[in-house]
Amino acid sequence: MKRLLIASLVVSSLLYSCKTTNKENSDEKKVQKTEYVSFGENFSSESPLSKTDLLSKYQNLKTGDTLNIQFASSVNAVCKKKGCWMKVDLGDNKESMVRFKDYGFFVPLNSEEKEVVVNGKAFVTEISVEELQHYAKDAGKSEEEIAKITEPEYTYAFEADGVLMKE
C-alpha cells in the first residue's frame, strides 16, 4: 500500500512538473510574439534583409525600378506632426525615406532610435525642393534650415505596407 501511495505521488509530481514546463514554454512564446508592435498590414519577419544589404540593392536600382522587400533597421527621424513618414538608417551615412501605403497608417511620434522591420517596396526617386522643405517643416526644423534647401534630392524611397517596431 505504501509503495502504491509513493508511486502515485511520484507520477503526480511528474505530471505537475510537465504541466508547469509546458506553461513556461507557452509563456516564453507569448513574450517573443509581443516583442514587436505592428502598424499597417501584419507580416512575418522571419528573414528580413539587413540595412547594409538593402543599401547595396538600392545602389543597383534605377528610377522606375521597384523591389518587394523586407528589411530591419533603426529609425533616424519621424514626422513630428502625425507620424506619417520616417527615415531609417541604411549605414554609411545613408537613409531611406519610408512612407506608408495609401497614407493608411502612422507610427508613433516618439519612434526615433527604435528598431523596426519594414515590409513593402523599395525604389529610388527624386524629391522636389518643395517636398523636401515640407518634410523639414514636419520634422521641426528651423526656418533657416528650411531656407537652405534649394536643390532636389535623389533619394532611396520605400513604400511600407507594414511596420513592426520593437517595444
Short mmCIF file of all heavy atoms in Angstrom, two decimals, residues 51 55-56 58-59 73-74 76 87-97 154-156:
data_model
loop_
_atom_site.label_atom_id
_atom_site.label_comp_id
_atom_site.label_asym_id
_atom_site.label_seq_id
_atom_site.Cartn_x
_atom_site.Cartn_y
_atom_site.Cartn_z
N LYS A 51 20.24 46.33 -43.05
CA LYS A 51 20.25 47.65 -43.67
C LYS A 51 21.37 47.77 -44.70
O LYS A 51 21.20 48.40 -45.74
CB LYS A 51 20.35 48.75 -42.61
CG LYS A 51 21.61 48.71 -41.79
CD LYS A 51 21.57 49.74 -40.68
CE LYS A 51 22.83 49.70 -39.85
NZ LYS A 51 22.75 50.64 -38.74
N LEU A 55 21.01 48.64 -48.67
CA LEU A 55 21.77 49.72 -49.30
C LEU A 55 22.42 49.25 -50.60
O LEU A 55 22.35 49.94 -51.61
CB LEU A 55 22.83 50.28 -48.34
CG LEU A 55 23.72 51.39 -48.90
CD1 LEU A 55 22.89 52.59 -49.35
CD2 LEU A 55 24.76 51.81 -47.88
N SER A 56 22.99 48.07 -50.59
CA SER A 56 23.63 47.57 -51.82
C SER A 56 22.58 47.31 -52.91
O SER A 56 22.84 47.54 -54.09
CB SER A 56 24.46 46.32 -51.55
OG SER A 56 23.66 45.23 -51.21
N TYR A 58 19.73 49.06 -53.20
CA TYR A 58 19.37 50.40 -53.66
C TYR A 58 20.37 50.93 -54.68
O TYR A 58 20.00 51.56 -55.66
CB TYR A 58 19.32 51.39 -52.48
CG TYR A 58 17.96 51.56 -51.83
CD1 TYR A 58 17.81 51.36 -50.47
CD2 TYR A 58 16.85 51.95 -52.57
CE1 TYR A 58 16.58 51.54 -49.85
CE2 TYR A 58 15.61 52.12 -51.96
CZ TYR A 58 15.49 51.92 -50.61
OH TYR A 58 14.27 52.10 -50.01
N GLN A 59 21.64 50.69 -54.45
CA GLN A 59 22.68 51.23 -55.32
C GLN A 59 22.62 50.65 -56.73
O GLN A 59 23.16 51.23 -57.66
CB GLN A 59 24.05 51.03 -54.68
CG GLN A 59 24.22 51.90 -53.45
CD GLN A 59 25.44 51.57 -52.62
OE1 GLN A 59 25.99 50.47 -52.68
NE2 GLN A 59 25.87 52.54 -51.81
N SER A 73 16.11 47.74 -39.53
CA SER A 73 16.98 48.88 -39.30
C SER A 73 16.51 49.64 -38.08
O SER A 73 15.69 49.15 -37.32
CB SER A 73 16.99 49.80 -40.53
OG SER A 73 17.97 50.81 -40.38
N SER A 74 17.01 50.88 -37.93
CA SER A 74 16.56 51.74 -36.84
C SER A 74 16.06 53.06 -37.43
O SER A 74 16.49 53.47 -38.50
CB SER A 74 17.68 51.99 -35.83
OG SER A 74 18.78 52.59 -36.48
N ASN A 76 15.82 56.95 -37.80
CA ASN A 76 16.62 58.16 -37.56
C ASN A 76 15.74 59.37 -37.29
O ASN A 76 16.09 60.22 -36.50
CB ASN A 76 17.51 58.47 -38.77
CG ASN A 76 18.69 57.54 -38.87
OD1 ASN A 76 19.03 56.82 -37.94
ND2 ASN A 76 19.32 57.53 -40.02
N LYS A 87 12.45 58.24 -41.51
CA LYS A 87 13.72 58.00 -42.19
C LYS A 87 14.44 56.93 -41.40
O LYS A 87 14.58 57.04 -40.19
CB LYS A 87 14.55 59.27 -42.26
CG LYS A 87 13.98 60.31 -43.19
CD LYS A 87 14.88 61.52 -43.28
CE LYS A 87 14.27 62.55 -44.24
NZ LYS A 87 15.14 63.73 -44.37
N VAL A 88 14.88 55.89 -42.12
CA VAL A 88 15.56 54.78 -41.46
C VAL A 88 17.00 54.68 -41.94
O VAL A 88 17.33 55.03 -43.07
CB VAL A 88 14.82 53.44 -41.66
CG1 VAL A 88 13.46 53.46 -41.00
CG2 VAL A 88 14.69 53.10 -43.11
N ASP A 89 17.85 54.23 -41.05
CA ASP A 89 19.28 54.14 -41.29
C ASP A 89 19.61 53.01 -42.26
O ASP A 89 19.10 51.90 -42.12
CB ASP A 89 19.99 53.91 -39.95
CG ASP A 89 21.48 53.88 -40.08
OD1 ASP A 89 22.03 54.68 -40.86
OD2 ASP A 89 22.11 53.05 -39.38
N LEU A 90 20.48 53.31 -43.23
CA LEU A 90 20.99 52.29 -44.16
C LEU A 90 22.49 52.05 -43.96
O LEU A 90 23.09 51.29 -44.69
CB LEU A 90 20.73 52.69 -45.61
CG LEU A 90 19.27 52.78 -46.04
CD1 LEU A 90 19.17 53.29 -47.47
CD2 LEU A 90 18.57 51.45 -45.90
N GLY A 91 23.07 52.74 -43.00
CA GLY A 91 24.51 52.66 -42.80
C GLY A 91 25.23 53.58 -43.78
O GLY A 91 24.62 54.13 -44.70
N ASP A 92 26.53 53.75 -43.60
CA ASP A 92 27.35 54.57 -44.49
C ASP A 92 26.78 55.98 -44.69
O ASP A 92 26.82 56.53 -45.79
CB ASP A 92 27.52 53.85 -45.83
CG ASP A 92 28.72 54.35 -46.63
OD1 ASP A 92 29.65 54.88 -46.00
OD2 ASP A 92 28.70 54.23 -47.86
N ASN A 93 26.18 56.54 -43.63
CA ASN A 93 25.56 57.88 -43.67
C ASN A 93 24.46 58.02 -44.72
O ASN A 93 24.24 59.09 -45.27
CB ASN A 93 26.62 58.97 -43.88
CG ASN A 93 27.50 59.13 -42.67
OD1 ASN A 93 27.05 59.03 -41.54
ND2 ASN A 93 28.78 59.34 -42.90
N LYS A 94 23.76 56.93 -45.00
CA LYS A 94 22.64 56.93 -45.96
C LYS A 94 21.36 56.60 -45.20
O LYS A 94 21.38 55.93 -44.18
CB LYS A 94 22.85 55.89 -47.06
CG LYS A 94 24.15 56.01 -47.80
CD LYS A 94 24.07 57.04 -48.87
CE LYS A 94 25.35 56.99 -49.69
NZ LYS A 94 25.69 58.20 -50.32
N GLU A 95 20.23 57.07 -45.76
CA GLU A 95 18.92 56.82 -45.17
C GLU A 95 17.93 56.43 -46.26
O GLU A 95 18.14 56.74 -47.43
CB GLU A 95 18.37 58.08 -44.49
CG GLU A 95 19.12 58.56 -43.31
CD GLU A 95 18.51 59.82 -42.72
OE1 GLU A 95 18.15 60.74 -43.47
OE2 GLU A 95 18.39 59.87 -41.49
N SER A 96 16.85 55.82 -45.85
CA SER A 96 15.72 55.57 -46.74
C SER A 96 14.51 56.31 -46.18
O SER A 96 14.23 56.24 -44.98
CB SER A 96 15.41 54.07 -46.83
OG SER A 96 14.29 53.85 -47.67
N MET A 97 13.83 57.03 -47.06
CA MET A 97 12.60 57.74 -46.68
C MET A 97 11.45 56.75 -46.81
O MET A 97 11.16 56.26 -47.90
CB MET A 97 12.39 58.93 -47.61
CG MET A 97 11.08 59.63 -47.38
SD MET A 97 11.02 60.34 -45.74
CE MET A 97 10.38 61.93 -46.09
N TYR A 154 18.03 63.20 -54.86
CA TYR A 154 17.86 61.82 -55.31
C TYR A 154 17.86 60.96 -54.06
O TYR A 154 18.79 61.05 -53.25
CB TYR A 154 19.03 61.46 -56.25
CG TYR A 154 18.97 60.08 -56.83
CD1 TYR A 154 18.10 59.78 -57.86
CD2 TYR A 154 19.81 59.08 -56.36
CE1 TYR A 154 18.06 58.51 -58.42
CE2 TYR A 154 19.78 57.82 -56.90
CZ TYR A 154 18.91 57.53 -57.93
OH TYR A 154 18.86 56.28 -58.47
N THR A 155 16.84 60.19 -53.85
CA THR A 155 16.71 59.51 -52.56
C THR A 155 16.31 58.05 -52.70
O THR A 155 15.71 57.64 -53.70
CB THR A 155 15.68 60.25 -51.68
OG1 THR A 155 15.70 59.69 -50.37
CG2 THR A 155 14.28 60.14 -52.22
N TYR A 156 16.65 57.30 -51.66
CA TYR A 156 16.21 55.92 -51.54
C TYR A 156 14.86 55.96 -50.84
O TYR A 156 14.76 56.39 -49.69
CB TYR A 156 17.21 55.11 -50.71
CG TYR A 156 18.60 55.08 -51.29
CD1 TYR A 156 19.70 55.36 -50.51
CD2 TYR A 156 18.81 54.76 -52.63
CE1 TYR A 156 20.99 55.31 -51.03
CE2 TYR A 156 20.08 54.72 -53.17
CZ TYR A 156 21.16 55.00 -52.37
OH TYR A 156 22.43 54.96 -52.89
#
